[in-house]
Structure formats: structure tokens, C-alpha cells
Amino acid sequence: MNKRMKAAVVGLSFGGWVIENELLKEGSKYFEIDSVCDLNEEKAKSWGERLGVPYYTDMDRLLAERQIGACVLITGPVGRAKQIDKCIDRGIHVMTTKPFELTATEAERVLKRAREKGIVVQMNSPSPRPASYMKAILDYQKRFDLGRPIAYRAADWCSYREKPDGLWYDDSERCPVAPIFRLGIYMINEVASLMGDVEKVSVAESRIFTGRPTSDNALVSVLHKNGVVGSIFASFCVNDLQHYKCSYEINYERGTIYKAVKPRNSETSGNKVSMQVVYTKDGRQYMYEEEIEDSSNYQWEVFYRCIGGAAYDDLVSDEQIVAGIRLIEMMKKEKMI
């Protein structure tokens, strides 16, 4: 493959952000926006006219009429597997977003079906290939002989003051423990991959500034089957200009890994991630520090190359994708008790 592939964008709420910040930038090297679709006709028309492409309010009609190779599916997670089924039926590859689905069995089913049909389905979290800091964490575990994991604390925050708008964000059934489901999902996917199967979760959430009926401040405590304990904090309430940094402290039997432990701001952070390892060897303490490039955006090149038949030995597995959704299901069930 040496020319751009035609792609449709379905879902223009967050999809508008994806167009502006991804597809018209890095993604434009590999994909050409052919058409757009949203249930809201005004929104669909606005984006269609802005991009100079046909617009639709019906996904079925778009898939039937447009000759596209890929669909960038930025809709809500509930029922997304069935939307992906429609793309599979027409031989169209899919790039979608987090959370992938709300139901683990549906996610597992559609991923298996896509693989059997030769259709590439990828998303931004868990990313097709590990982000740079995930690769670093896996490397540190071995390089510094840290031993078995013991505990972790993961946190991410930003500052929103949202109003209800009737989208799935307003529905606690479709958006359970909203800050965790919307923002903490990155960390859920990563700890599910790093720490193994989950045995139990507990949830604390609150509404502080939001006008939505769903929460804007939340903490989930997690017990893994291997004895690891952890917490995931996500909030839309904190304005310190250190938004979306997904910080980690991960304790091992012989050391601790820190991610993004240094203060970051818009002038100095750029695309850098601060990593630090404090570990022991032969009764002495050592420290290793480095800054690495943040590679946590949509991986358009990987998606494009995989469609063309490229093989990578570190692609995320179906089970890794589903593991994060299982944790969400447990979180939702615990809320209902």
C-alpha cells in the first residue's frame, strides 16, 4: 500500500475532535476523509460542508453508497459491536475509540469475527501496539529485576464543567462511574494488561461541579487474583494544567516505577513523559530516570500497515482488549449492589 485510503467518519461529537486533531494531521498521511455521518443532521451537514464531502445521518446508507476502505467509528460504546458487524459485512476495516464496548461477550464475539473475516479492528485504547511508556514499564521490570508486582496507584484528571445534553454521557447505565469509564478507561485497559485477572472491585464516586446526572469525581479500588491491589482515580474537577497525564506509581517487591512524576505544564511538557525507577540490588538503592516520547495517540500508521498485511509481534490481543471490559462489568455490577 502506497496511497491514502478513503475513510468515513461516523459519529461527530467526539469524532469532530478526532477529525481536527488526528485525521487532518498525522492520520492524513494514510487516510483521506471520504464522507461523514451523524444522527444530528445539522452536525453532519456542518462537517460535510467544512470538509467538502458527502454527509449522512444513516450509517447503513453511508456504508451502502460509499466506496471506502475504512470506517472511523466514534460512536458511544453501547452496541458498537453490532455497528462493527455492519462494517465487517461490507469488508470495511474499523478504527474506533475507547471504551470499545460495554459488554465483554459482545466485544469478544465481534473481535473474533473480524479476525476470521480478515478485517482489521483497532482503537486508541488499548492501542494496537504498546505506548512508549508501557514498553518502558515492561522493560524496567526485567532490566532492574523488580520481582512480582505488589500494588499500584493510577490517576488522571482534567477540568470540565459540563451540562446535560442527552448524550450517552448522561446515562449511568451506558456510562457507569463516568470519570472512570470516560477518562480512566486508559488506565483500566493498561492495568488489566499489566496486573492480570481481577477478583473484586469497589467504587466511590461523587458529583461536584457537573451538571450531568452522572458523576464527575471517582475512585475504583481493585483486587487482582494474584494478590495485587490497586486504585484508579479519575476526575473532571481538577484544574492544575496537568491534564490527561495518566500518572502511575507501581510497587514491586524490589522497587517502584513512577510515570509523569515531575510537574508538567503547557510550556515545558510537549510530548514528553517522565519515567523514574527506584530499586534495590545487593542491599543498595539505585535510581534510574529518563524522558521518553509520548506515543499514546491513535496509531494511524499501524492501522494502515495492518490493513495492507503488515505483521507486528507486539499487537494487542483480543483477550487484552476484553480484560478491560470485564473490569468495567465488575465495576458496574458492584455499583448496583
Side-chain angles (χ1 to χ4, degrees), residues 28-29 39 43 54 56 98 124 129 139 156 171 192 196 207 220 229 234-235 275 289 295 298 313 324:
S28 67
K29 298 176 183 178
L39 293 174
K43 189 177 295 183
Y56 293 79
K98 52 78 185 170
N124 65 327
R129 304 181 72 190
D139 172 59
D156 202 9
D171 187 341
R207 294 174 67 243
V220 172
V229 295
S235 179
M275 304 294 294
E289 292 182 286
S295 60
Y298 288 77
D313 59 10

Side-chain angles (χ1 to χ4, degrees), residues 211-333:
R212 296 189 189 275
T214 49
S215 61
D216 61 354
N217 194 50
L219 177 75
V220 172
S221 298
V222 185
L223 170 63
H224 293 262
K225 291 182 179 179
N226 58 6
V228 173
V229 295
S231 65
I232 302 171
F233 166 71
S235 179
F236 299 132
C237 301
V238 181
N239 188 10
D240 62 358
L241 300 183
Q242 296 187 88
H243 302 163
Y244 315 116
K245 69 176 186 176
C246 286
S247 66
Y248 282 102
E249 292 181 13
I250 308 175
N251 301 114
Y252 296 82
E253 60 179 312
R254 290 184 291 274
T256 300
I257 296 175
Y258 301 90
K259 171 185 177 277
V261 294
K262 295 180 179 178
R264 301 172 63 195
N265 59 56
S266 58
E267 293 180 357
T268 62
S269 64
N271 293 318
K272 299 288 186 178
V273 175
S274 298
M275 304 294 294
Q276 184 184 79
V277 189
V278 179
Y279 64 100
T280 60
K281 183 178 180 180
D282 300 326
R284 297 183 61 185
Q285 183 191 74
Y286 297 87
M287 184 172 68
Y288 174 82
E289 292 182 286
E290 68 173 330
E291 282 195 340
I292 58 178
E293 292 292 328
D294 184 0
S295 60
S296 58
N297 294 332
Y298 288 77
Q299 295 181 359
W300 300 107
E301 182 178 2
V302 175
F303 182 47
Y304 181 81
R305 302 297 178 201
C306 286
I307 291 171
Y312 297 91
D313 59 10
D314 59 351
L315 282 179
V316 65
S317 67
D318 293 356
E319 180 52 37
Q320 287 174 303
I321 295 170
V322 174
I325 301 172
R326 290 199 183 100
L327 198 159
I328 292 167
E329 286 182 324
M330 294 179 71
M331 181 179 74
K332 183 178 179 181
K333 184 177 179 181

